[in-house]
Amino acid sequence: MSEKQKINWGVRFKNKVWVSGFVSQTLLMLQAIFLGLESLQVIDINIESVDAWVAWLTGITNVILAYLAYLGLVVDPTVQGVGDSYKALKRTEPLREE
């Protein structure tokens, strides 16, 4: 890892929970961008023509994506699973850079 790089992306992308959160956040962000562009009439998405079941499915999908994004935020990507490392659990203050 280079001296300038402050995030170990290789380790993060090996953690499936972090990856699911990252992908979920990206998809939710893209959806927000498209809906924002549609509301500004930059692009044309006819939301009214969407069937009720598609709207329901979109809502359920958003809930699942938001939950996965939340898991990706609270997980320590440097350990396997959804826990903190032993060292992190013993700390009372954030680790300072040298």
Side-chain angles (χ1 to χ4, degrees):
M1 186 164 58
S2 73
E3 187 63 33
K4 290 184 179 182
Q5 187 176 356
K6 301 288 184 184
I7 298 174
N8 190 341
W9 292 106
V11 171
R12 288 180 186 262
F13 277 102
K14 289 179 183 176
N15 187 308
K16 293 176 186 175
V17 177
W18 185 88
V19 170
S20 71
F22 180 77
V23 169
S24 299
Q25 290 172 346
T26 303
L27 291 174
L28 288 170
M29 180 185 65
L30 289 173
Q31 181 187 43
I33 289 170
F34 282 122
L35 290 176
L37 290 173
E38 196 274 333
S39 70
L40 294 172
Q41 298 177 349
V42 174
I43 59 175
D44 185 29
I45 301 173
N46 192 356
I47 296 173
E48 290 80 26
S49 69
V50 175
D51 291 335
W53 71 271
V54 174
W56 177 84
L57 185 61
T58 302
I60 295 297
T61 303
N62 285 345
V63 169
I64 293 169
L65 290 176
Y67 179 73
L68 291 173
Y70 171 74
L71 279 180
L73 290 174
V74 298
V75 72
D76 179 356
T78 61
V79 296
Q80 194 172 22
V82 186
D84 283 338
S85 66
Y86 179 75
K87 286 182 179 181
L89 289 172
K90 295 295 179 184
R91 287 190 192 118
T92 57
E93 296 289 326
L95 188 62
R96 296 177 190 249
E97 284 192 49
E98 297 176 15

